[in-house]
Amino acid sequence: MLRAKRKTGLIFFPAFDWAIDPTHPEREERLLYTQDQAMEEGLFDIEGLVEFKSDLVSEKDVRRVHFCVPDVASVMTESHFISAGSAKRMGVAVVTGEVEKGFAIVRPPGHHAKRVVHGARGFCNVNIEAIMIEYLRTFHGIRRVAIVDTDCHHGDGSQDIYWHDPDTLFISMHQDGRTLYPGSGFPEEMGGPNAAGRTLNIPLPPGTSEEGFLYVLENVVLPVLDEFKPDIIINSAGQDNHYTDPLTDMNFSAQGYARLTELLKPDIAVLEGGYSIEGALPYVNIGIVLAMAGIDYSKVREPDYDPESIRQSEDISRRIRQVCDEVTDIWQRRYDITRERQEGKEYEERVNRIFYDTDGIYETQHETVRICRECAGALRIDSSSDRGNRIMAVHIPKNACEQCKTAGFRWYEQAEPSLYRKIYLQNRPDDEFVEKVP
Amino acid sequence: MIIGLDVGGTHTDVVLLDKDGLVRDIKVTTDEADLFHTVLSGIEQISRHIKPRAIERIVLSTTLTTNAIVQGNMPDIGMIVLSGPGIDPEAFRTHEHYYVVGGAIDHRGREITPVDFDCLKHVTKKLKDSGIRHVGVVGKFSARNPIHEQKVRDALKRSFRRVFLGHWVSGSLNFPRRIATTFLNASVYSTHKKFFKAVRATLEDRGLHIPIHILKADGGTMIFDASIKHPGQTILSGPAASVMGAIPFSDKTEEAIVLDIGGTTTDIGIIINQGPVLEPVGIELAGYKTLIRALKTYSVGLGGDSAVKVVDGRLEIGPERMGPAMAFGGPAPTTTDALRVLGKINDGDLEKAATGIKGLAEHLGISVTEMASQVYSTFCSEVLRYAQMLVDNINSKPFYTVREYWEGYTIKPNRILVLGGPAKSFADELQRISKIPTTVVPKWGVANAIGAAFARTTCEVTLFADTQRGILTAPEEDFFERIDSSFSREDAERKTLKLLKRKALGRGASRHDLETEILESSQFNMVRGFSAAGRNIRIKAQVKPGLIHGYEVISRRLMDETGL
Ligand SMILES: [Zn+2]
Ligand SMILES: [Zn+2]
């Protein structure tokens, strides 16, 4: 009889009645064949695989991460509340020891959702991993978190949320941004002045195959994780690196994803993208589940799988080795870089221009972070969209020092009311969220 | 008149009902070694002095196949499995003569790899050389397209006496369960067939020319002829009989817990608005997870005769039964002895019962009466705890759509129905502890047999339409049709209900009892390359488990007689 070596929780929420629009890749049908395959394999009958019931997040859970414009209810549908809630439920099950590992096979996804939310971008409205992580940090004593994003698209939303946080290691491996949405995710994007090197981006050339992904994992991701020593590892388990994915140009496979999962040993995996709904998802999802639970996955293959036909060229291998060296160098020099970037500065500012492709909104952000050697630094974002919404968002990080707390409160108090539709304060140390409408 | 018969572990209950109510009821001792004799003597005794022509219906619930499976008392058969990509089919091995042959179908029912007939030839030879006569053939996704199973069957036809195909067992997807179910069907086939053929022959000898209905695990019946293909469905009909026996005494607006308290075990089931709650996938028996439709029941090793002991200063009841209660000459104290001491029953030797309870009381340093009360209430709390576990289990069922989430209602029982030999003695205490109104089912000692007698014929149909491929199939029913792109979900639902009615009538249903229900109905737009390519439609419908037309009059009479 089949038995999981590691007790593994699963939440399956395919949202069979939710779509961005009827022919959009993010539509009702997306997980239909994955469900068929999971049921036909008898996945939920395997001893040690436990199916959990989906759950909801509250608006408060969302506000721990996001500034939603104008409010939470306007940017989320019921599906988003359930998909984020399922990730959260899975996280709680793992950290409380109900199960050893957990995989939330849910939609809609979340890794393109940034801290400020004016609408949907890259099929994402809210960041379901971040909502889970901040919940676990608030109620379950988790501090150091590593997010490894293996979706084919750069996880720019997660990167944005954890840009300044030295307690969160964010690693994204993805198809080179010069050839794919969202166009970002280069090694030089390595985190803010208070957390340099805690964001690591590994862009990969189109055509990267099993060999390339596993090379990155073994030569960058695993050594970095070893040193970072996270309390938990989250895998943003997008499946659009697959050789049959219609939106991307990579050559990854079900066997490769399963092997990657086996090596990475994530505590919690959350499904992100993946749009080859018949040719890839049924096999990749089964492979990941089995690998997490420690069950033999050697026969989980796509019907047309042929490792020879998807093998990467020597040129691709060379370019991957190069980028891995570059990223390893950033990681090893992270404290020096942090010091250099903090030197002689009290604040750092950046301007972000963000396009919400799904909803067609343009946003401009003026971001100010307080340079701090003790915490992630108080953060202020002045954000305006082409829909005429201008807001001021102030974030005081979870483990803020006294000076950063004071700075945050002062920004919130002193914001010029006439300029903004709303002024928000995310006070993470007290787990409070307040806003004023001038 | 109707005969209902339910074989239990110790007793077999038999009832005879007519339009005015219960004509008579008897209990015969079950002889596990000779169930044939047990069943026949039950029928014979109940129908004594009754004209054979007066008997219109007979329903049997036996432990025949259950026992065969639990005891592993099954002839050697062969299993041939065709797997596609996925979990290694070796993981689902049922026994020695289990062979994997190449060939694969995908989730849409498309052939990926053709059947490996060369390999099949070798396997056939091996099976024949081992003297095997019955074979089960199961393909992955055969519930979507059974072509491989059929081709293998055609190739095997001449070599084996009977071949059982996986897609017959259910329209649900679950390859390992399909394998286990087909294995069980093939394994209990001979036992089942031999037994019921003999019963039928004997009844015909006595002038009873009526179809024999056999109770299934889902609380419905099927006639003997229909059971030949699906003998596995007759397992665990006992707990189903109990739940069906309680249905007439639950109200249309109630969510009721059914407790059938026996000597060795208590069977727990749930009824909502007079309909029993079913297992979502299928029942499990002796480690075999199956696709056999079944009522959601839970059997716990807590009965009137379960041994009671004190371990580390704590009272423990069951799960083992050492023999009858001490009041009836048994070796160890039981809850029945506590009932005797408390005067809740008057049968049995009071002194012997008290001796048993005294032994426990001394461990805890309390009086015999206090001890007996403690045993009594502990028993009831334990039963209620298990009932709550069953309710929680049903309430924790996952949901897959936003609509299901909003509909997501949970069961909050507002009635307890108790049956079984000692039912009457426990009702008050169950009510006191649970604070849920508790009713003893009239004729509680044979209510299970009454449940069997009244059970209607049930079945299920699963239909699958794929307008992109132009196919409409219900493989379980051997139904295949071409459709065009205009085929709609409404068309599919209509077709499903038509197939369902045909199937139910073929399995012995009466036209009055075709209460059908669509269980699942979903339609997905299939999009390929940003434009609509077709629709993927899935429908599942059932004849609801319930009671046959006309039972109300009889059950009302039973209630009146008992003063309820
Ligand atoms: Zn993606
Ligand atoms: Zn600080």
Side-chain angles (χ1 to χ4, degrees):
Chain A
M1 195 181 56
L2 276 181
R3 193 185 296 273
K5 278 207 199 79
R6 294 175 286 274
K7 191 170 179 192
T8 299
L10 289 178
I11 290 188
F12 192 68
F13 181 65
F16 282 149
D17 49 0
W18 179 86
I20 289 180
D21 67 57
T23 58
H24 195 281
E26 198 49 79
R27 64 177 180 273
E28 297 91 338
E29 188 193 2
R30 192 178 151 221
L31 290 175
L32 181 63
Y33 312 108
T34 293
Q35 187 197 39
D36 284 350
Q37 193 77 32
M39 285 172 58
E40 181 67 353
E41 298 288 351
L43 215 59
F44 300 121
D45 285 331
I46 295 174
E47 179 103 11
L49 277 189
V50 192
E51 188 179 15
F52 285 73
K53 190 172 177 168
S54 300
D55 203 349
L56 284 180
V57 284
S58 64
E59 295 201 0
K60 183 162 184 180
D61 293 333
V62 177
R63 287 194 296 244
R64 227 172 253 128
V65 172
H66 291 294
F67 297 101
C68 297
V69 185
D71 50 38
V72 172
S74 318
V75 301
M76 284 174 81
T77 66
E78 292 103 334
S79 283
H80 295 101
F81 280 99
I82 299 172
S83 134
S86 305
K88 177 185 105 176
R89 177 72 187 88
M90 211 65 275
V92 170
V94 170
V95 301
T96 58
E98 279 178 85
V99 287
E100 226 177 298
K101 305 280 173 189
F103 185 14
I105 307 179
V106 299
R107 51 183 292 270
H111 76 149
H112 293 303
K114 303 192 174 197
R115 190 178 287 285
V116 177
V117 179
H118 286 270
R121 51 190 308 279
F123 319 161
C124 303
N125 295 49
V126 290
N127 196 301
I128 61 180
E129 288 93 333
I131 293 171
M132 163 183 76
I133 291 168
E134 293 315 309
Y135 184 89
L136 298 181
R137 281 182 162 150
T138 306
F139 297 106
H140 296 278
I142 297 293
R143 179 156 177 170
R144 290 173 78 75
V145 176
I147 306 170
V148 180
D149 189 321
T150 51
D151 189 276
C152 191
H153 301 89
H154 175 225
D156 56 345
S158 308
Q159 167 169 307
D160 175 72
I161 292 166
Y162 293 111
W163 185 252
H164 298 292
D165 181 6
D167 285 333
T168 307
L169 171 68
F170 174 71
I171 307 178
S172 181
M173 48 207 273
H174 46 261
Q175 185 176 328
D176 192 321
R178 287 168 298 193
T179 61
L180 190 68
Y181 178 90
S184 53
F186 300 98
E188 51 275 24
E189 298 162 40
M190 59 177 84
N194 300 333
R198 265 50 63 90
T199 292
L200 296 175
N201 281 299
I202 309 161
L204 300 169
T208 298
S209 183
E210 293 162 358
E211 190 190 333
F213 283 97
L214 297 176
Y215 180 90
V216 173
L217 198 77
E218 288 175 320
N219 292 279
V220 183
V221 179
L222 295 179
V224 166
L225 285 173
D226 257 1
E227 267 191 71
F228 183 75
K229 295 190 175 47
D231 298 334
I232 49 170
I233 300 174
I234 317 289
N235 180 204
S236 292
Q239 303 174 2
D240 37 12
N241 284 302
H242 195 266
Y243 64 88
T244 60
D245 198 275
L247 307 187
T248 65
D249 313 294
M250 301 299 247
N251 274 336
F252 212 26
S253 63
Q255 279 292 305
Y257 266 110
R259 177 72 184 139
L260 179 143
T261 308
E262 188 173 39
L263 291 169
L264 179 62
K265 301 186 183 68
D267 298 289
I268 302 151
V270 178
L271 176 68
E272 281 293 335
Y275 303 95
S276 171
I277 62 177
E278 289 204 69
L281 264 56
Y283 311 102
V284 176
N285 276 306
I286 301 293
I288 293 179
V289 171
L290 297 182
M292 285 188 92
I295 300 168
D296 170 43
Y297 59 77
S298 58
K299 303 218 165 163
V300 181
R301 288 150 195 262
E302 305 77 355
D304 60 354
Y305 179 59
D306 173 11
E308 281 316 309
S309 71
I310 54 169
R311 190 175 296 285
Q312 69 194 34
S313 68
E314 181 44 40
D315 180 52
I316 290 177
S317 304
R318 192 181 44 77
R319 283 156 66 193
I320 293 173
R321 285 196 295 274
Q322 233 165 34
V323 74
C324 285
D325 291 346
E326 197 181 335
V327 173
T328 302
D329 181 60
I330 291 171
W331 169 250
Q332 284 164 349
R333 293 192 301 112
R334 64 193 179 282
Y335 298 121
D336 294 338
I337 301 173
T338 305
R339 208 170 307 122
E340 278 164 33
R341 287 183 54 185
Q342 292 185 328
E343 193 69 49
K345 275 200 260 182
E346 209 179 326
Y347 297 98
E348 188 176 278
E349 297 191 6
R350 62 170 181 160
V351 178
N352 302 317
R353 289 181 212 287
I354 298 156
F355 176 50
Y356 292 74
D357 58 308
T358 309
D359 281 349
I361 300 169
Y362 288 92
E363 177 198 6
T364 306
Q365 293 184 353
H366 292 269
E367 186 196 276
T368 309
V369 65
R370 183 176 180 275
I371 300 293
C372 186
R373 285 162 186 85
E374 262 116 87
C375 73
L379 179 70
R380 178 178 66 179
I381 304 167
D382 184 331
S383 154
S384 37
S385 79
D386 63 349
R387 302 277 163 94
N389 284 323
R390 182 173 177 194
I391 58 106
M392 161 70 76
V394 178
H395 166 78
I396 302 175
K398 177 89 172 60
N399 298 301
C401 66
E402 287 311 311
Q403 285 94 321
C404 284
K405 280 187 196 166
T406 314
F409 287 123
R410 201 178 52 233
W411 278 337
Y412 180 67
E413 298 306 326
Q414 295 178 351
E416 173 48 48
S418 63
L419 295 177
Y420 303 104
R421 178 165 176 195
K422 260 189 185 177
I423 300 160
Y424 308 80
L425 174 68
Q426 205 172 53
N427 172 3
R428 291 288 291 114
D430 299 315
D431 195 29
E432 266 176 18
F433 187 92
V434 288
E435 53 183 46
K436 357 184 221 197
V437 182
Chain B
M1 285 197 267
I2 305 174
I3 294 175
L5 178 146
D6 181 29
V7 178
T10 27
H11 289 114
T12 292
D13 301 318
V14 200
V15 294
L16 183 70
L17 298 146
D18 72 3
K19 61 181 184 348
D20 294 324
L22 185 63
V23 178
R24 67 173 77 128
D25 62 87
I26 55 155
K27 276 179 186 289
V28 295
T29 305
T30 301
D31 179 358
E32 298 269 3
D34 192 355
L35 280 183
F36 180 66
H37 177 256
T38 306
V39 168
L40 276 192
S41 84
I43 295 174
E44 198 163 279
Q45 288 179 45
I46 202 82
S47 57
R48 195 163 290 161
H49 310 304
I50 304 286
K51 285 197 197 88
R53 261 186 304 130
I55 297 170
E56 315 144 273
R57 178 178 160 92
I58 178 160
V59 186
L60 307 180
S61 158
T62 81
T63 50
L64 181 78
T65 48
T66 311
N67 289 350
I69 294 166
V70 171
Q71 293 156 9
N73 196 359
M74 301 180 281
D76 210 357
I77 62 128
M79 283 299 289
I80 295 174
V81 164
L82 299 101
S83 176
I87 294 173
D88 187 347
E90 198 42 52
F92 314 129
R93 170 174 289 281
T94 41
H95 67 312
E96 190 197 340
H97 297 294
Y98 173 98
Y99 295 96
V100 179
V101 169
I105 301 278
D106 80 356
H107 52 264
R108 294 266 302 273
R110 296 168 297 207
E111 182 176 70
I112 305 172
T113 324
V115 176
D116 181 349
F117 285 102
D118 287 337
C119 175
L120 184 64
K121 238 178 239 158
H122 290 291
V123 170
T124 306
K125 183 167 182 330
K126 276 192 196 166
L127 289 173
K128 276 177 74 177
D129 290 350
S130 312
I132 278 165
R133 295 189 297 186
H134 299 146
V135 178
V137 178
V138 183
K140 192 178 274 187
F141 284 114
S142 67
R144 287 283 155 78
N145 180 359
I147 186 73
H148 283 180
E149 289 182 0
Q150 290 164 341
K151 282 183 174 169
V152 172
R153 189 243 336 254
D154 293 344
L156 297 179
K157 241 183 345 208
R158 276 193 205 89
S159 309
F160 301 97
R161 205 175 274 181
R162 201 170 184 96
V163 180
F164 291 81
L165 302 190
H167 69 276
W168 293 348
V169 307
S170 168
S172 300
L173 295 179
N174 195 314
F175 182 51
R177 284 179 183 256
R178 195 177 308 123
I179 293 172
T181 312
T182 307
F183 170 74
L184 293 181
N185 276 335
S187 298
V188 299
Y189 163 76
S190 331
T191 313
H192 174 84
K193 188 177 165 193
K194 199 172 136 220
F195 181 90
F196 283 98
K197 264 183 104 166
V199 171
R200 182 161 71 183
T202 315
L203 294 186
E204 279 179 357
D205 280 351
R206 308 209 172 145
L208 271 166
H209 301 285
I210 47 169
I212 299 170
H213 283 258
I214 304 170
L215 193 69
K216 302 183 295 166
D218 72 349
T221 72
M222 62 180 164
I223 51 172
F224 171 55
D225 288 337
S227 74
I228 288 294
K229 251 175 145 179
H230 313 280
Q233 291 190 2
T234 63
I235 61 171
L236 295 171
S237 57
S242 307
V243 175
M244 299 315 285
I247 286 183
F249 310 103
S250 74
D251 198 79
K252 279 216 162 61
T253 59
E254 275 175 357
E255 300 186 350
I257 297 174
V258 180
L259 302 173
D260 182 354
I261 305 177
T264 323
T265 56
T266 293
D267 293 333
I268 309 169
I270 307 286
I271 298 172
I272 299 176
N273 308 337
Q274 293 190 321
V277 174
L278 280 108
E279 278 284 353
V281 191
I283 204 163
E284 182 173 346
L285 174 65
Y288 296 103
K289 288 181 172 154
T290 74
L291 280 173
I292 295 168
R293 254 169 71 95
L295 300 191
K296 184 101 192 166
T297 58
Y298 192 43
S299 225
V300 291
L302 269 177
D305 295 344
S306 303
V308 181
K309 51 187 188 291
V310 174
V311 180
D312 299 329
R314 272 192 44 222
L315 197 57
E316 276 183 15
I317 308 178
E320 66 278 345
R321 175 184 189 266
M322 322 275 273
M326 286 179 77
F328 296 95
T334 66
T335 305
T336 304
D337 294 313
L339 294 177
R340 183 70 189 93
V341 168
L342 295 172
K344 293 191 182 290
I345 54 172
N346 298 316
D347 299 344
D349 185 327
L350 175 58
E351 211 165 301
K352 281 187 189 156
T355 313
I357 299 297
K358 187 156 175 266
L360 299 171
E362 279 166 1
H363 281 292
L364 297 179
I366 54 176
S367 76
V368 172
T369 322
E370 272 175 303
M371 189 68 240
S373 305
Q374 235 184 71
V375 171
Y376 179 54
S377 57
T378 304
F379 182 90
C380 292
S381 325
E382 280 293 282
V383 166
L384 289 166
R385 188 169 66 84
Y386 284 109
Q388 188 57 46
M389 274 166 57
L390 183 67
V391 170
D392 291 345
N393 176 288
I394 295 169
N395 286 344
S396 68
K397 182 178 159 295
F399 54 89
Y400 294 150
T401 62
V402 174
R403 190 180 59 96
E404 280 168 11
Y405 168 75
W406 289 116
E407 285 173 354
Y409 102 120
T410 52
I411 305 172
K412 291 179 208 71
N414 52 9
R415 169 75 56 194
I416 296 175
L417 295 162
V418 207
L419 59 151
K424 207 169 171 50
S425 319
F426 288 111
D428 291 347
E429 187 68 1
L430 289 167
Q431 175 164 316
R432 189 186 69 80
I433 299 173
S434 66
K435 300 183 181 63
I436 297 173
T438 303
T439 314
V440 181
V441 171
K443 299 289 173 191
W444 58 88
V446 291
N448 45 329
I450 298 176
F454 281 156
R456 67 163 77 121
T457 300
T458 56
C459 58
E460 196 177 81
V461 165
T462 308
L463 186 89
F464 180 74
D466 185 330
T467 66
Q468 188 190 14
R469 300 185 57 218
I471 51 168
L472 177 67
T473 60
E476 207 186 341
E477 322 310 328
D478 269 321
F479 170 81
F480 308 92
E481 238 174 56
R482 300 293 303 174
I483 47 170
D484 63 25
S485 60
S486 67
F487 190 83
S488 70
R489 172 149 81 177
E490 290 67 37
D491 296 333
E493 290 188 357
R494 261 196 305 276
K495 192 82 210 174
T496 309
L497 291 177
K498 218 171 130 188
L499 288 170
L500 181 66
K501 284 183 182 156
R502 194 182 75 187
K503 182 175 184 177
L505 293 171
R507 295 206 168 178
S510 134
R511 289 199 176 271
H512 302 294
D513 299 323
L514 293 176
E515 195 186 335
T516 59
E517 174 183 41
I518 303 270
L519 291 173
E520 282 170 40
S521 169
S522 55
Q523 168 171 284
F524 294 87
N525 291 317
M526 294 186 285
V527 178
R528 297 297 173 266
F530 295 98
S531 61
R535 283 185 306 280
N536 193 304
I537 305 170
R538 291 113 187 257
I539 314 284
K540 197 187 269 287
Q542 68 164 348
V543 175
K544 273 168 119 172
L547 305 179
I548 53 170
H549 185 73
Y551 79 87
E552 298 92 341
V553 186
I554 306 177
S555 58
R556 205 166 306 126
R557 249 172 218 277
L558 285 175
M559 278 209 263
D560 293 345
E561 279 169 31
T562 342
L564 279 157

